[in-house]
Amino acid sequence: MSRPNEVLERGGGCLMVANIFTPIQGGSATVYANLCLYAPAGSMVALASRRHYESGNEIPGWREHDATCGFPVYRLDLLRPQIMPPPANKLVSAWRQLTIDIPLKLRLIREVWGLIRKHDIRVICIGELVSMAWLAVFFRRLTGTRMVLYVHGEEVTQRLNVGSFGRKREAHLKSADAVVAVSRFTERVLVEQMGVPPEQICLIENGVDTRRFSPGPADLALQARYGLTGRRLVVAVGRLVPRKGFDKTIQAWKRVCTAQPDAHLLIVGDGPQRAELQALAAASGVADRITFAGSVSDAELLAAYRSASLFVMPNRTMPDGDTEGFGLVFLEANACGRAVVGGRAGGAVEAVADGVSGLLVDGESVEEIGNAIIRILGDDAFRHELEEGALRHAQMNSWTHRVGIFQNLCRRIQGNGEKHV
């Protein structure tokens, strides 16, 4: 396994705490796993959950993942309370606190305390600002462990309801030893909207695992499985939530099919918007040209990228501020030699090199989205030019360098204070 040239000097390790962690698919889960995978041996430990906090269901494949991933992963049933409807009254709220929230926090504190002593943890990195920052604050005060908050974008751009963590997140951000921003867009939001001092922020743009994602032939078995043999696949990958722009893509699809009769949209991923998107596809008049694959294995995800003629995710900023912090899927598709169509919003403008690795569009404009897809599919020379640029763009953004930056950050903040265990 290759390691970064710049590594953490021998000392305490870093504990990565993340609700969303592989084998769950998604940009943030991939980021945290790669920070552990590419790190020097013994420098990273992960703490994740066995069940998904949204559905409560066990995460498929977590045992197999943890046995073969190459770094230590510890798991609790949940790291945060499962999402439930708002309490009907203060009595219900207090009951939940006493019977769910407090016992869960106590189990989490006990687990982390054990990991700090077992692995000589000096840095705790939190992968979910809104629900987990309290943990790093607690141990910073108790043991002197350094505190890093890893921020993708939506955690700080989205407006939170009154009474929520929204009143505290600015204080937690400012109390951290370092805040990692995954894009210059996120960095600007942290400074301009959250008031985080610029010197406290470390920019570590998302990288791509070019050993895993690489060019290859279209997967005939995948095409046959979904009945797509002979179709030109446009692949969309991501959690099915409004900011990803899959609804606008579906709305543009009838026009795309008119211009490119063999085009077929394959949507990979799952999420709360799935039923709405399926209903929209059914009403589109071209539902037979749209397939929802749901969540897939790592091997199937790679097969989907390689089988695509084009990747599309026209992300947009939602009215509540929810937006794409970066968009790692763009680089994954690029690393497989595929051009992309992304939204001109959030951190996607940094993930996509407009006119080089793909095209940026207004994610609110069905017309722009359709035009971009039709242009790339209809011009082989232009598509091949973008595919060459896409591969170069991905190779310049591999994880090896990114992990070196993170390790040096951990080394630097360890020098700012001593642990008092």
Side-chain angles (χ1 to χ4, degrees), residues 263-316:
H264 193 99
L265 178 62
L266 178 64
I267 299 177
V268 177
D270 211 340
Q273 203 187 13
R274 179 165 183 166
E276 177 188 335
L277 293 175
Q278 288 175 320
L280 186 61
S284 69
V286 287
D288 60 332
R289 302 295 185 86
I290 301 172
T291 296
F292 291 85
S295 296
V296 301
S297 67
D298 289 347
E300 289 172 322
L301 177 61
L302 177 60
Y305 282 134
R306 288 177 171 177
S307 301
S309 293
L310 175 66
F311 175 86
V312 59
M313 193 185 80
N315 57 288
R316 64 187 187 268

Side-chain angles (χ1 to χ4, degrees), residues 364-375:
E364 295 284 359
S365 172
V366 172
E367 182 178 7
E368 275 198 40
I369 294 166
N371 286 344
I373 296 171
I374 291 168
R375 180 186 176 192

Side-chain angles (χ1 to χ4, degrees), residues 54-289:
E54 288 185 329
S55 66
N57 297 330
E58 183 172 289
I59 298 167
W62 69 264
R63 293 178 181 85
E64 295 80 2
H65 167 275
D66 295 357
T68 60
C69 66
F71 53 88
V73 183
Y74 295 83
R75 293 189 187 257
L76 292 175
D77 206 33
L78 290 169
L79 301 189
R80 56 164 290 180
Q82 188 179 336
I83 292 179
M84 293 184 286
N89 52 54
K90 291 183 178 179
L91 183 61
V92 173
S93 178
W95 178 253
R96 287 183 183 177
Q97 284 284 330
L98 289 172
T99 61
I100 299 175
D101 295 11
I102 292 176
L104 188 152
K105 285 186 175 182
L106 290 175
R107 287 194 295 273
L108 183 55
I109 288 170
R110 184 166 58 248
E111 181 74 10
V112 172
W113 175 255
L115 293 176
I116 287 174
R117 298 180 69 85
K118 180 176 181 179
H119 292 280
D120 190 24
I121 297 298
R122 304 289 182 90
V123 178
I124 296 178
C125 180
I126 298 295
E128 190 169 329
L129 167 65
V130 174
S131 64
M132 300 298 300
W134 69 269
L135 183 69
V137 173
F138 177 86
F139 278 101
R140 191 177 191 277
R141 293 171 178 169
L142 179 67
T143 69
T145 51
R146 303 294 91 191
M147 171 180 173
V148 177
L149 299 177
Y150 218 100
V151 179
H152 296 267
E154 64 271 15
E155 315 99 302
V156 289
T157 60
Q158 192 170 12
R159 291 184 288 278
L160 301 179
N161 295 329
V162 175
S164 71
F165 181 81
R167 293 196 301 257
K168 297 181 180 179
R169 63 181 171 181
E170 290 90 343
H172 285 340
L173 285 164
K174 293 174 185 175
S175 68
D177 294 284
V179 179
V180 174
V182 303
S183 65
R184 295 190 184 280
F185 163 78
T186 302
E187 184 180 34
R188 287 194 300 273
V189 172
L190 285 167
V191 173
E192 297 172 5
Q193 297 184 28
M194 297 291 108
V196 180
E199 62 273 13
Q200 192 180 343
I201 300 171
C202 178
L203 175 65
I204 306 179
E205 293 172 312
N206 287 340
V208 62
D209 186 351
T210 52
R211 298 179 305 174
R212 175 186 169 197
F213 296 102
S214 60
D219 190 292
L220 301 181
L222 177 136
Q223 295 175 359
R225 185 181 311 125
Y226 294 108
L228 304 177
T229 302
R231 301 290 182 91
R232 298 184 72 193
L233 296 188
V234 174
V235 172
V237 175
R239 190 160 178 264
L240 304 187
V241 293
R243 76 168 186 268
K244 304 290 187 179
F246 299 141
D247 54 346
K248 301 294 184 182
T249 306
I250 292 171
Q251 290 171 30
W253 203 245
K254 185 171 185 177
R255 186 159 158 264
V256 171
C257 289
T258 300
Q260 299 291 328
D262 59 347
H264 193 99
L265 178 62
L266 178 64
I267 299 177
V268 177
D270 211 340
Q273 203 187 13
R274 179 165 183 166
E276 177 188 335
L277 293 175
Q278 288 175 320
L280 186 61
S284 69
V286 287
D288 60 332
R289 302 295 185 86

Side-chain angles (χ1 to χ4, degrees), residues 387-406:
E387 288 172 347
E388 291 176 357
L391 195 54
R392 291 194 302 270
H393 183 61
Q395 290 168 344
M396 290 188 297
N397 289 277
S398 72
W399 264 112
T400 303
H401 176 63
R402 302 292 196 267
V403 169
I405 298 173
F406 182 78

